[in-house]
Amino acid sequence: MNWSIGWRRVLGIVSLALAAVGVFSTVEAQELPSFTKYLFPTEAYWDLRGTIHYDLEVADINRDGRPDLIVGSGGVNSDYHAEVATTVVFNHLAADEIEEGISEDFLLSLEFGIGTRCAAADFNGDGIADIATINSAGTSNSVTNVKVHVNRTPVGGDAIVFDAPLVLPYTPNGLMGSLLEIVVADFNLDGRPDIALGTQSPNAIVVYMNQTRKGSSNPAFSGPVQVGGTSYPYSMIAADFNGDGLPDIAATTNLGIDVLVNTGRRLSQIPAFAETVNLVTYSSSSQNFGAANLNGDARKDLMYFSYDSPYESKVGVATNTTRPRGSSPEFLQSVVWGNETFTPATIGGADINGDSKLDLIVTDAIGKVLAFMNQTASGAAQPSFSDPVEVTALSEVTRAAPVEADFDGDGANDLAFAPIGTSNLTILVNNRLP
C-alpha cells in the first residue's frame, strides 16, 4: 500500500542570498573558481535544538532531471527526547532563476534515536531512486533499524510518495547494536545494489544481499552477514580498489582506514571479503573520508584528515598502488598539508575549476570551506595539491561531507553543505562558465 507524508512546505523565494564569494589566488597561475553562496532557511523539524545533519546525499527523487538532496538528521525536541528524520529537499534551481529556491518533505519524522544515515539507489530496478535509512538507538525508548523505502514520487512532484518501508532484521548475537554507517553497492554484480552497514556492538561490517525482482514493489534482501571486523567503522566507502570489477569496502576507524577486498563470486548471494587490512594509520579518528582517482591512473585513491598530535591536524591522501586484481591492497600514505591551528571537520572531492582533476574540499571546526587545488602532472604517480585557499565560511561546522552536483543546470559543478545546529542548508553555486 502506498503512503505519502501528509504535509509539505514550499519555501518559495529564498529569504537570504549572500553576495558572491570570489576566490583570488596565484596558486601556480592556476585559475581558481568563484562561488555565489545561498542560504536556504528550512522549517519545522530542522529547528530541533542541537540539530546535527549526519548525512547528505544526492539523487533525482522526482525525476525532473535536477539533482535533489537527501539529509539525515538528529536533534532534541522540546521534551529533550532525541529524535531523527530523513528529509528530501527538492531542487528548483535553474541557471536563469536561481532565486526560485527549494522545497522540502519528510521521509521519516519524530522517530526516537540519536541520528540517521541514508543512501539512495534503485533497489528494485524500475529506474527510480529509492532510499535506505538506518537509525541508531540512543535511549531505552529508541530503536535501531534498517529500512528500505521504494520511491513512488510522481515525475516533477514536490511531495514524496514512498511505499511502506521494508524493515530489515538487525540482531547481531541476539542483541540490538548501534548502526554507524550505510553504503550501497552491487557487491555480486547482478545488477542490484546491495547494502553494507558499519556497526558497533559488535564492531563489524554487515552485508545484506539484494534479492528484489526487477520492478517489484516488494523489496527483498538476504539476512545480515558479517563479512569483517573493524574498530568502530564510523564512515564507509564502497569502491573497486584492485580493478577486478567488484566493489571493495573501506572504513574509517579509531586507528586509521581499514580495507576489505571483495572475494565473492559474481551473482552469488553469499557475500565474501578478505581479512580486514589496516592501510592508513593515524592517532585519532577521521570522521569521514573519500575515494577518488586523484592522479589519473584509473585507480581509486583515498583522501582523509587526521589528528596526529594535540597540536597539529593534517589533510592526507593515500595513493592506490594495488596490483591489478591483487588480493592484498596497497596504498602509499602522504600528507597534503598540516597546521597547528587547523581542525578539520569534513573532506570530499570535486572538480571545481573544470580541469578534469578532482580537488580536495575540506571544512574546518569553525565552518571555513577550504579548497586544495589538484596540481598533479600528467603521468605522475603521486598526486600533488596547492596550499589551501579559503572559498567561503559557513554559519556552523559540518558533520556530513559536502556533496557535488550541477544544481542549477549550467554545466559547472556546485557544492552543497548541511551545517549542524542550524536550519540553513548552504549551496555554493559555481560561477565558472563551462
Side-chain angles (χ1 to χ4, degrees), residues 45-88:
Y45 194 84
W46 285 13
D47 288 335
L48 291 174
R49 285 191 291 270
T51 297
I52 297 176
H53 307 303
Y54 291 91
D55 218 343
L56 186 61
E57 303 289 332
V58 175
D60 184 4
I61 295 298
N62 60 356
R63 294 169 287 157
D64 64 354
R66 293 178 288 193
D68 305 309
L69 291 170
I70 308 162
V71 189
S73 308
V76 180
N77 65 16
S78 58
D79 295 324
Y80 294 94
H81 288 138
E83 296 178 351
V84 301
T86 300
T87 307
V88 174

Side-chain angles (χ1 to χ4, degrees), residues 9 14 16 53 76 99 101 111-112 124 138 161 184 208 249 260 269 289 291 320 354 370 373 382 385 387 395-396 418:
R9 294 151 310 279
V14 177
L16 179 60
H53 307 303
V76 180
E99 72 279 357
E111 182 171 1
F112 291 111
N124 64 347
V161 181
V184 295
Y208 297 80
I249 294 176
L260 290 77
Q269 283 292 313
F289 68 133
N320 190 346
L370 306 176
M373 306 307 296
Q382 187 74 10
F385 297 85
D387 287 338
S395 57
E396 297 285 349

Side-chain angles (χ1 to χ4, degrees), residues 109-353:
S109 62
L110 304 181
E111 182 171 1
F112 291 111
I114 60 173
T116 188
R117 300 289 184 98
C118 49
D122 179 11
F123 292 110
N124 64 347
D126 62 358
I128 306 172
D130 308 306
I131 297 177
T133 61
I134 61 172
N135 175 38
S136 292
T139 60
S140 59
N141 64 344
S142 61
V143 295
T144 296
N145 58 46
V146 187
K147 293 181 179 180
V148 177
H149 310 258
V150 173
N151 188 0
R152 304 296 183 190
T153 304
V155 176
D158 275 349
I160 57 174
V161 181
F162 282 79
D163 287 344
L166 168 69
V167 180
L168 299 178
Y170 177 65
T171 53
N173 302 326
L175 301 173
M176 297 299 287
S178 295
L179 302 178
L180 303 174
E181 177 65 301
I182 179 171
V183 295
V184 295
D186 184 5
F187 291 114
N188 61 353
L189 302 184
D190 66 353
R192 296 176 290 190
D194 310 301
I195 293 175
L197 305 178
T199 73
Q200 182 187 25
S201 301
N203 291 324
I205 294 175
V206 174
V207 171
Y208 297 80
M209 302 303 292
N210 192 344
Q211 300 173 340
T212 308
R213 293 183 179 180
K214 186 174 182 178
S216 173
S217 59
N218 299 309
F221 286 79
S222 69
V225 177
Q226 182 173 329
V227 298
T230 186
S231 175
Y232 200 84
Y234 183 86
S235 181
M236 289 168 44
I237 289 172
D240 179 13
F241 294 112
N242 63 349
D244 64 356
L246 294 169
D248 310 305
I249 294 176
T252 58
T253 73
N254 292 328
L255 300 176
I257 298 176
D258 291 345
V259 175
L260 290 77
V261 171
N262 189 345
T263 59
R265 302 183 64 177
R266 297 180 184 227
L267 306 182
S268 173
Q269 283 292 313
I270 302 176
F273 288 78
E275 186 176 350
T276 303
V277 178
N278 181 254
L279 294 176
V280 179
T281 59
Y282 42 72
S283 60
S284 184
S285 175
S286 176
Q287 291 189 342
N288 62 52
F289 68 133
N293 179 13
L294 298 176
N295 60 353
D297 66 355
R299 289 181 288 191
K300 297 288 188 182
D301 309 303
L302 297 171
M303 63 191 87
Y304 62 94
F305 59 83
S306 63
Y307 310 108
D308 288 319
S309 76
Y311 307 106
E312 184 173 24
S313 300
K314 297 176 181 177
V315 173
V317 297
T319 305
N320 190 346
T321 59
T322 306
R323 291 175 299 172
R325 298 183 177 273
S327 58
S328 299
E330 298 177 3
F331 287 77
L332 178 62
Q333 185 176 352
S334 63
V335 175
V336 173
W337 187 72
N339 188 283
E340 293 183 358
T341 61
F342 170 67
T343 304
T346 65
I347 188 168
D351 177 15
I352 57 175
N353 63 347

